Amino acid sequence: MHGRDQGYPLHVRCPYCRANDDKVVDSRLAEEATAIRRRRECLGCGRRYTTYERVEDVPVVVRKRSGSAEPFDRAKLRAGIERAATGRLDGPTIDTIVVDIEEELRADGGEVASDRVGVAVLERLRVLDPVAYLRFASVYKGFEKLSDFEREVGELQKTTAPKRR
């Protein structure tokens, strides 16, 4: 059976004889399930070789309010969350937030508005820690007066406090 008959339409040039007709003799997950390792046999010279197949990451581009665009920066997101959550959330929790947000943005497509990133952080911090939420919101929303904090605390209490009957 040719590789094409097994559902693998791509033929790779043999590294030994440069022929591009092969058959796949074994496939298995590799690199913590982020790649597929394939053992191939060249139908030209009969030698075997290994190829790896990976999904290419879709780059995420963040469109700023100014109209400029920049690549999504995981470290920048993590630093912003760390500042807001200092002494409140541990490293693994922050890592989980960052990974979840990056996966969500990637699923949304190749380009996202910068406010989408900020809202995603606020949604998670609101549930995890109200103080970290307020710290992040104060920078993200540009609080300038005490009344800005008071208004946000009021909104936070409305949405997190159990409803009384």
Side-chain angles (χ1 to χ4, degrees):
M1 245 194 246
H2 285 65
R4 186 179 328 255
D5 298 331
Q6 293 179 342
Y8 311 116
L10 178 66
H11 289 282
V12 180
R13 287 202 184 276
C14 171
Y16 305 106
C17 73
R18 308 296 291 153
N20 73 351
D21 203 12
D22 62 43
K23 68 177 180 180
V24 175
V25 292
D26 181 48
S27 290
R28 62 181 65 184
L29 291 176
E31 300 174 15
E32 297 180 7
T34 62
I36 298 173
R37 177 185 177 270
R38 299 199 197 281
R39 287 293 292 160
R40 297 177 181 270
E41 183 177 318
C42 176
L43 297 175
C45 69
R47 294 178 79 175
R48 290 187 175 190
Y49 55 97
T50 302
T51 60
Y52 292 88
E53 182 179 321
R54 290 175 190 80
V55 172
E56 187 173 351
D57 280 338
V58 175
V60 176
V61 175
V62 178
R63 178 71 55 188
K64 307 298 256 178
R65 290 181 184 140
S66 67
S68 66
E70 65 181 47
F72 172 77
D73 186 346
R74 179 184 298 127
K76 185 175 175 181
L77 175 61
R78 189 179 204 298
I81 296 169
E82 275 182 328
R83 278 191 301 276
T86 299
R88 311 282 312 168
L89 300 174
D90 62 11
T93 301
I94 294 170
D95 289 338
T96 299
I97 294 169
V98 171
V99 168
D100 287 350
I101 290 173
E102 184 175 10
E103 287 176 0
E104 183 179 309
L105 297 176
R106 194 173 307 281
D108 285 352
E111 186 174 305
V112 295
S114 61
D115 64 335
R116 178 71 187 89
V117 180
V119 168
V121 172
L122 288 172
E123 288 171 350
R124 284 156 179 86
L125 292 180
R126 178 185 293 267
V127 173
L128 291 171
D129 188 275
V131 173
Y133 168 87
L134 277 174
R135 289 176 179 172
F136 190 86
S138 71
V139 174
Y140 177 69
K141 295 181 178 185
F143 291 3
E144 294 182 8
K145 304 177 287 209
L146 183 57
S147 61
D148 295 334
F149 284 94
E150 291 169 341
R151 183 190 70 248
E152 198 67 33
V153 167
E155 288 300 313
L156 189 59
Q157 288 174 334
K158 281 186 204 173
T159 59
T160 59
K163 296 201 172 39
R164 294 193 175 158
R165 295 181 185 216

